Structures are given as C-alpha cells and as structure tokens.
Amino acid sequence: MTISDTYEVPVLHDILHRAESSPCPFVTVNVPGSKSITNRGLLLATLANGTSTLRGALFSDDSRHFLKCIQDLGFDTQVDEDTCTITIHGMGGAVPLKEANLYVGSAGTAARFLTAYLGLSNGTYHMDASEQMRRRPMAPLLDSLRRLGCEIRCESASEGHFPFTLRGHGFQKNNITVNIDSSSQFLSALLIVSCLCEGDFTISLEGTHGMAYIDITVKMMEQFGVCAQRHSPSVFFTKAGQRYHAQDYQIEPDVSAACYFYALCPLLNITVLVNHVCFCSLQGDVAFIRLLEQMGCTAQDTPQGIVLHPPKNGMFHGITADMSACSDQAITLAAIAPYADCPTVIQGIGHIRYQECDRMAAIVTELTKMGIRCEADENSITIHPGQPKPSKVTTYDDHRMAMGFSLTGLRSPGIVIDHPGCCRKTFEGYFEELNRVIGQLRQFSASAPIPHN
C-alpha cells in the first residue's frame, strides 16, 4: 500500500445480520509495541550508564525518526527489526557529539524529549521537523528551556516552532514552571532529564492535560532507576544524585493500537482478544476499554490478554465520556458513535485541536460529510445516531483519523479512507491487520447458519 492509495472499507453486513442461533465470532489480534513506551525507552537508554536492550520495540515512522536522531548524536546502537529489538549504549547523560543536525519528522515525542535533553546539555544542535510538526506547539517547552539557561534561535517566521538551533549550557536554575495545556510531553521531557541537574530540581505545572502519559513517564523513570516525586497535584520534585541504570526492558503492546480492534466488539457484535493487553498496563488508553464496558460490552482480563464481549442484545449505548486521560481514542469513539442507540458526548478534549491536525474540527467535518449530526464547543463534541452516507474521509496526514474512521465504514457502504499510508507514523501494518481480521470474520460468516426471516 503506497502513501497515495485510498482504502475502500469493506462492509460486513453478513456479520451484523447473522442468525440468532449462530455463535458469536471470536477474533484474536496482535498489535506492535507501544509507541509511548518505545520512545521513552529510547531516551532513557541514552541517559543510562551502560548497555540497554529494548525488546518488543515499535518500528514506525515516529520511532525510526527518534532512533535516527540518537544515532546522529553519536550513540552506538544495534537494531534488529525482525526481532523488534534495539540495543543502545548509554553514556550516563552525556551526549557523544557536541554539534549535530537533527530531523525529528512528525514525531512529537522525539521533538519534545530530545529538545529538552539537548537544550540542557552542553553543545549546539540544529533541529528541524516535518511541515506537520512545524505547525505543532513547542513554545511552552522552549520558554522553559530559555529560563533554565538555554540559548534558542528560532528560524521560522512563527516564533516557538521548528526549525531552531539550541545552544545548551546545562541547568542554570533548579526550578521551572511549564504549561502543559497543549501537550503533556513538555512535562515528560523535563521530568526525564531532571536528574541531570546538579541540585534538587522542582517542576511546577500549569494545566492538567495528559496526566496518564505523565504516569507512564514517572513509572518508566523509576524502572530505570530515578524517582520523581509528586509533592502536590501541580509540583514534581527530583532529588539530586540519581542516575539511570541500563535495563533489559520488555515493551508492552500498544494499547492505543489495540483500541481500534476492541472497538470492533460493539460495532460488529463480536468478541475480541488482543494478545498481551492487560488492565495493569502502564498506558492510559486502557481506560477506553472501560468506556466500551459502559456502552454495554463486558471485559475479561485473562492470562492471554483482555477479552471483550459484545452487548448481550447486539446494541450499544451512547455515553457521556470524559476522555482527557485517553484523548488519542476520541476519534475512535467518534467513529463508532453514529451506530449507538443515543447521542454520545466526548468531553475533556479541547487540547486535541493542537495535535497532528485540529482533531476536533476534523471529527466534525468528516462526520458532517457523512450526514451525521454533531456539535462541538471549546472542549467537547456531541454526536447523534444516524446511518453514515458514502464519503471519502480526509485524513489530514493524521494516522488516528485513518485508523479510527476505517471502523465507520465496516457498517456503512461507500466509506473510503484517503491517504491510509499515514498510519506508518505509529502502526504501519494497521490495514493489513484489519484486512486479516475481516478475512476471519468472512470465513465465519460463510460457515454460519443462514438467518430466517
């Protein structure tokens, strides 16, 4: 599948209209490693003293850009994509090269994490990004780095965006305030490098967006040997003298990727297992499975992974959901919401306007093109039930738009995904895996009893 292709979503009418006596289809899915954990692991491994091995790593556009930047900084790495393994020889916080040109692509984690690391190191680094990433916010992080002593020269007409040159001089202060209204990655970036400060370091935050991702950051820091304490809801503290230790680290499956397949459960009235996904996951998107339970599904945590069973009557409920802790799945919920039995209200998502695209506007635009009534305000979207009409879904070079709205087309004919190749950002094999699941369901349908009128 090339980046210029379109993908016409196949409609699975036979699955929806199978005989009542037919057993419920059961599908098993594998997803790649977590993007959030892989990219945090890459940075933590460079900061550690010694050789770390990341197992089950995600290989996607984002992680490859992050990995290439690490290599361009002079870190010794061994990479085996066949076994999903990356080995990195860390230098205890030092950067091998004191000057480098780096390109982060559209990878927000690489953009924010590496900027903080290099901005608080000692060296001069030129950083650039894709057109998409050049539009995304960086100013709160750059402002914090300037206050900590970093010299930053932005080369864009729009101050606070890529490209820019950093001249780092280490930590010149031991405290900072950062605004995370547009991205929690600003806080994660500063937390991860906070142990490089010679003294105790305090971060005060403005905003509460994305704290589930902050939890991942703090837990992974602890796993690599550094404790960041939360002294209050808005203050984090890192005691001086802590250092990261090299790890042999197993990366969890990507729960964000798994959620698209769990959404098939209420949508198609099927049972879904995603291997090795569990409720004890570090990843906040596991909360999306709880939302599917509110819609009528039943979750079962098994040794093989979470099994999700469909609503008993084959109809799922519209819900009011605060998705501030799992906002990457707002598109997923919006994509299946037209088929619910009453309106769905998605709250706590104002910040998604500043992600790969203005996701709130994109959701409303694409559903409206399908004839689905929806309304948005500053922080929420309401979606009313309806039968989507044929439409070509504009993906805005946003992987989550492509993956999420592919679900809508499984119950309505004529839904075409434009530019599906943008999924390479995080899940390059998404449509192959979706087609494999569709093939399983069609085989089931062919052997199922014929429904009686």
Side-chain angles (χ1 to χ4, degrees):
M1 180 180 290
T2 67
I3 201 165
S4 61
D5 286 335
T6 58
Y7 177 85
E8 184 166 358
V9 185
V11 182
L12 297 177
H13 285 309
D14 291 344
I15 295 297
L16 292 168
H17 301 110
R18 63 184 182 271
E20 291 184 6
S21 59
S22 176
C24 180
F26 186 107
V27 297
T28 302
V29 180
N30 290 300
V31 297
S34 163
K35 180 191 79 166
S36 298
I37 295 177
T38 296
N39 287 350
R40 283 165 175 77
L42 289 172
L43 183 58
L44 290 165
T46 66
L47 288 163
N49 187 20
T51 301
S52 294
T53 300
L54 306 179
R55 304 185 188 278
L58 169 71
F59 287 94
S60 67
D61 279 358
D62 275 13
S63 61
R64 289 190 184 99
H65 279 303
F66 205 141
L67 182 59
K68 179 64 163 53
C69 288
I70 288 171
Q71 293 166 339
D72 289 344
L73 288 168
F75 286 97
D76 184 12
T77 66
Q78 289 84 45
V79 179
D80 188 337
E81 291 203 16
D82 291 337
T83 61
C84 300
T85 301
I86 303 171
T87 299
I88 298 173
H89 302 276
M91 296 181 60
V95 181
L97 298 180
K98 298 306 179 187
E99 292 188 20
N101 295 317
L102 304 179
Y103 179 77
V104 301
S106 296
T109 43
R112 280 71 181 254
F113 293 2
L114 289 171
T115 295
Y117 181 21
L118 299 175
L120 295 170
S121 300
N122 289 282
T124 302
Y125 305 97
H126 177 74
M127 304 190 68
D128 203 354
S130 68
E131 287 300 321
Q132 182 193 78
M133 190 65 222
R134 284 183 176 194
R135 295 190 296 268
R136 295 175 66 183
M138 286 291 294
L141 179 59
L142 298 183
D143 290 346
S144 294
L145 294 176
R146 284 187 173 114
R147 294 196 299 274
L148 288 169
C150 180
E151 299 175 55
I152 301 170
R153 179 169 55 86
C154 290
E155 299 158 20
S156 168
S158 179
E159 175 68 23
H161 292 82
F162 283 95
F164 48 77
T165 298
L166 304 167
R167 188 183 299 275
H169 304 284
F171 287 77
Q172 305 298 305
K173 293 174 59 179
N174 64 357
N175 62 85
I176 196 65
T177 298
V178 63
N179 187 298
I180 63 168
D181 283 334
S182 56
S183 177
S184 65
Q185 291 172 353
F186 304 146
L187 175 57
S188 283
L190 292 168
L191 280 171
I192 290 172
V193 300
S194 61
C195 66
L196 300 181
C197 184
E198 293 183 0
D200 297 344
F201 191 74
T202 301
I203 305 174
S204 301
L205 62 144
E206 299 172 349
T208 58
H209 157 58
M211 296 310 293
Y213 289 99
I214 303 304
D215 290 342
I216 297 176
T217 298
V218 171
K219 289 174 184 175
M220 288 190 67
M221 289 172 62
E222 290 177 359
Q223 290 168 342
F224 277 78
V226 171
C227 177
Q229 303 170 22
R230 194 170 186 180
H231 280 184
S232 74
S234 60
V235 176
F236 287 83
F237 173 82
T238 306
K239 188 164 185 60
Q242 301 183 80
R243 289 294 181 262
Y244 294 111
H245 307 297
Q247 301 290 319
D248 191 314
Y249 193 85
Q250 182 64 49
I251 293 168
E252 297 179 2
D254 195 310
V255 176
S256 298
C259 287
Y260 301 108
F261 295 97
Y262 280 123
L264 297 177
C265 173
L267 184 72
L268 300 177
N269 195 29
I270 64 174
T271 297
V272 177
L273 161 68
V274 182
N275 282 321
H276 311 304
V277 171
C278 61
F279 281 119
C280 62
S281 170
L282 295 175
Q283 301 165 70
D285 275 6
V286 74
F288 181 73
I289 301 172
R290 296 303 192 191
L291 295 181
L292 294 176
E293 287 186 297
Q294 294 179 33
M295 301 175 89
C297 299
T298 303
Q300 180 184 4
D301 209 346
T302 76
Q304 191 174 349
I306 296 173
V307 177
L308 194 65
H309 302 278
K312 294 188 182 301
N313 62 359
M315 174 63 72
F316 63 94
H317 310 305
I319 59 172
T320 296
D322 181 344
M323 298 193 74
S324 56
C326 56
S327 61
D328 275 349
Q329 298 310 315
I331 294 171
T332 316
L333 183 57
I336 66 172
Y339 304 108
D341 61 2
C342 63
T344 294
V345 183
I346 306 173
Q347 299 175 334
I349 58 170
H351 60 277
I352 71 173
R353 297 183 188 277
Y354 308 105
Q355 295 181 310
E356 280 82 345
C357 69
D358 181 341
R359 287 179 172 170
M360 288 190 73
I363 289 169
V364 172
T365 298
E366 298 310 312
L367 288 176
T368 300
K369 282 163 56 178
M370 296 177 191
I372 300 300
R373 184 162 67 94
C374 48
E375 302 100 26
D377 59 25
E378 183 177 344
N379 205 36
S380 68
I381 297 176
T382 300
I383 302 165
H384 299 269
Q387 184 61 37
K389 299 175 182 176
S391 179
K392 178 181 279 191
V393 176
T394 302
T395 53
Y396 309 90
D397 200 26
D398 187 334
H399 57 134
R400 302 216 179 275
M401 287 294 294
M403 292 186 283
F405 276 95
S406 68
L407 305 175
T408 311
L410 295 171
R411 283 186 58 165
S412 294
I415 302 298
V416 177
I417 307 299
D418 194 26
H419 184 30
C422 63
C423 292
R424 293 187 316 211
K425 178 175 170 65
T426 53
F427 191 173
E428 59 189 11
Y430 171 76
F431 283 99
E432 287 78 6
E433 185 66 11
L434 180 62
N435 285 337
R436 189 190 66 79
V437 170
I438 290 169
Q440 281 187 353
L441 292 172
R442 282 178 165 163
Q443 286 183 350
F444 175 90
S445 180
S447 62
I450 298 173
H452 299 290
N453 292 330

